């Protein structure tokens, strides 16, 4: 059995402190499970592949649903934000925004934050859905929103990355890149890590927004960066994965995986898991970048894997949702949905939540 490093344990504790404190509930998770985007969800009871309920919203869903205190928050391409009971599927409230919602929403103890294709960021009351504030940004919001402490981070397709005051929507700073942002950032070690569609990785100062270091890549970055154990990992759409040691900013390895990559990576005990456009989920050694195994579904995997209790969960463009063993890559169960699944899934206690391009939200227990 591999030992978990002290650094990784500290990072996990920090994320859990955020989940328990800042978000106000033991079941409040960011879109990728924690602040470092590891894809890990610390639930005790795993879903077993049994259909619980579904909700048809009537429009495409491409942003990950977020589970917070027994409520699911999700937006669709009609610009509607839903708050839905995880247990029953009852719609608690719905709010109409001014444009399509392409990425995940985010929550803290009082608000839901939403970015739209029309270039607005909204803050809504988490319990009632009542409008609190909105802030205008300089282009379509493709990345979704990401909240930490009193700051909401949001990336735009026109090349700007913003830090907004979560209390009133005021602008803290704006960083300008060559091209736009289509993924959420990771927060770790006093940095905001984010990749741009223009092919550059940025490590930003959270107070000023200045780039403290960065690096050019071979291609666009849609997948979210990942931090763990003193290292940051990031991927490009055309199939490359990079690992950088944060102390001293030392490049560790740089590998072509074998196919264009469609998802954000997940990390579990020394292994990265990444979905490919060739229809394979890749297990990649985090130490060297070697492919350990791959599981083929036959259609592109844009839905980023999430992890809990030895199981990886993800969807595919073939319309199936998969649960596979993280060690062996063996299929545990799969469920047929009504359309392509490109949004990242989310986990709640005893349940997995995913959505389709037909706009249907599913809960499997």
């Amino acid at each position: 059995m591999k030992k978990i490093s002290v650094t990784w344990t500290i990072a996990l504790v920090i994320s859990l402190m955020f989940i328990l404190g800042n978000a106000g509930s033991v079941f409040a998770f960011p879109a990728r499970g924690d602040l470092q985007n590891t894809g890990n969800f610390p639930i005790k009871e795993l879903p077993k592949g049994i259909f619980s309920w579904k909700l048809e919203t009537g429009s495409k869903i491409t942003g990950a649903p977020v589970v917070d205190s027994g409520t699911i928050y999700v937006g669709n391409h009609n610009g509607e934000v839903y708050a839905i009971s995880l247990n029953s599927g009852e719609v608690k409230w719905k709010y109409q925004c001014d444009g399509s919602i392409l990425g995940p929403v985010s929550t803290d103890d009082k608000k839901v934050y939403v970015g739209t294709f029309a270039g607005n960021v909204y803050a809504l009351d988490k319990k009632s859905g009542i409008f609190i504030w909105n802030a205008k940004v300089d282009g379509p919001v493709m990345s979704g929103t990401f909240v930490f402490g009193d700051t909401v981070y949001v990336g735009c397709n026109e090349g700007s990355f913003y830090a907004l005051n979560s209390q009133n929507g005021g602008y803290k700073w704006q960083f300008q890149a060559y091209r736009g942002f289509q993924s959420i950032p990771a927060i770790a070690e006093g940095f905001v890590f984010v990749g741009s569609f223009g092919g550059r990785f940025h490590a930003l100062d959270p107070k000023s927004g200045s780039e403290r270091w960065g690096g050019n890549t071979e291609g666009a970055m849609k997948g979210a960066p990942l931090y763990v154990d003193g290292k940051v990992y990031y991927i490009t759409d055309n199939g490359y994965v990079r690992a950088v040691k944060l102390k001293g900013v030392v490049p560790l390895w740089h590998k072509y995986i074998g196919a264009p990559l469609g998802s954000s990576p997940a990390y579990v005990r020394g292994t990265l898991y990444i979905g490919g456009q060739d229809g394979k989920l890749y297990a990649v050694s985090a130490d060297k970048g070697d492919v350990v195994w791959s599981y083929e579904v036959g259609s592109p995997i844009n839905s980023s894997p999430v992890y809990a209790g030895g199981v990886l969960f993800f969807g595919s463009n073939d319309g199936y949702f998969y649960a596979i063993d993280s060690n062996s890559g063996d299929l545990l169960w799969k469920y047929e949905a009504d359309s392509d699944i490109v949004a990242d899934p989310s986990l709640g206690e005893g349940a997995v939540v995913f959505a389709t391009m037909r706009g249907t939200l599913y809960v499997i227990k």
Side-chain angles (χ1 to χ4, degrees):
M1 182 177 179
K2 295 182 180 180
K3 293 183 179 179
I4 301 175
S5 72
V6 173
T7 307
W8 166 234
T9 304
I10 291 172
L12 179 60
V13 169
I14 291 172
S15 286
L16 287 172
M17 288 173 65
F18 167 77
I19 290 167
L20 293 169
N22 191 62
S25 168
V26 294
F27 301 133
F29 304 122
R32 294 296 297 148
D34 52 32
L35 298 173
Q36 292 79 37
N37 294 336
T38 65
N40 285 239
F41 287 74
I43 61 173
K44 296 179 180 179
E45 182 183 356
L46 295 178
K48 300 176 177 62
I50 301 170
F51 173 81
S52 180
W53 57 262
K54 67 178 181 180
L55 174 70
E56 297 178 359
T57 72
S59 184
K60 296 176 183 178
I61 297 176
T62 52
V66 172
V67 178
D68 184 341
S69 307
T71 300
I72 303 165
Y73 299 93
V74 68
N76 66 15
H77 283 216
N78 274 346
E80 299 164 322
V81 185
Y82 287 82
I84 308 156
S85 168
L86 176 64
N87 288 327
S88 67
E90 175 190 2
V91 176
K92 296 182 176 182
W93 55 258
K94 182 171 71 172
Y95 183 87
Q96 181 66 57
C97 296
D98 66 339
S100 296
I101 301 163
L102 305 184
V105 304
S106 58
T107 64
D108 59 19
D109 58 340
K110 294 182 179 180
K111 303 182 189 74
V112 181
Y113 304 95
V114 187
T116 72
F117 192 77
N120 269 299
V121 179
Y122 290 80
L124 309 175
D125 183 87
K126 193 163 71 171
K127 291 183 178 180
S128 65
I130 293 173
F131 171 87
I132 299 176
W133 57 255
N134 79 287
K136 185 67 177 175
V137 292
D138 69 0
V141 176
M142 309 288 285
S143 65
T145 63
F146 187 95
V147 62
F148 175 59
D150 65 353
T151 304
V152 181
Y153 298 99
V154 59
C156 299
N157 198 48
E158 304 303 316
S160 291
F161 187 82
Y162 289 86
L164 305 175
N165 187 308
S166 65
Q167 298 303 310
N168 55 27
Y171 302 96
K172 291 189 171 186
W173 50 257
Q174 177 183 353
F175 174 80
Q176 188 68 37
Y178 168 62
R179 290 182 66 186
F181 297 89
Q182 296 192 14
S183 69
I184 59 174
I187 306 290
E189 302 287 346
F191 291 96
V192 177
F193 300 111
V194 65
S196 75
F197 202 64
R200 184 170 176 83
F201 180 78
H202 308 276
L204 305 179
D205 186 302
K207 293 183 178 180
S208 67
S210 61
E211 183 180 272
R212 292 169 63 181
W213 61 269
N216 296 327
T217 65
E218 300 81 4
M221 286 183 283
K222 291 182 183 177
L226 183 158
Y227 168 87
V228 67
D229 199 20
K231 306 176 187 69
V232 62
Y233 301 89
Y234 53 97
I235 67 174
T236 61
D237 290 7
N238 57 357
Y240 286 88
V241 183
R242 289 176 181 261
V244 177
K245 183 180 178 181
L246 195 54
K247 187 176 181 180
V249 192
V250 180
L252 297 175
W253 54 261
H254 167 217
K255 292 284 184 75
Y256 177 66
I257 298 304
L261 300 173
S263 82
S264 300
Y267 176 93
V268 184
R269 291 188 292 273
T271 303
L272 301 170
Y273 299 94
I274 313 167
Q277 291 294 302
D278 60 348
K280 294 180 181 179
L281 182 76
Y282 289 93
V284 178
S285 166
D287 290 334
K288 298 181 179 180
D290 298 329
V291 175
V292 180
W293 55 256
S294 62
Y295 178 84
E296 186 167 2
V297 302
S299 293
I301 301 172
N302 296 295
S303 171
S304 306
V306 296
Y307 170 85
V311 182
L312 295 163
F313 302 90
F314 64 96
S316 169
N317 286 22
D318 64 1
Y320 280 92
F321 189 81
Y322 295 85
I324 67 172
D325 186 286
S326 62
N327 291 318
S328 65
D330 294 333
L331 177 68
L332 300 176
W333 55 262
K334 66 178 182 179
Y335 182 86
E336 185 176 10
D338 63 5
S339 184
D340 300 16
I341 303 167
V342 302
D344 298 352
S346 185
L347 290 166
E349 196 61 44
V352 62
V353 186
F354 66 91
T356 71
M357 290 294 281
R358 190 171 289 181
T360 304
L361 188 74
Y362 289 84
V363 169
I364 306 296
K365 294 187 174 181

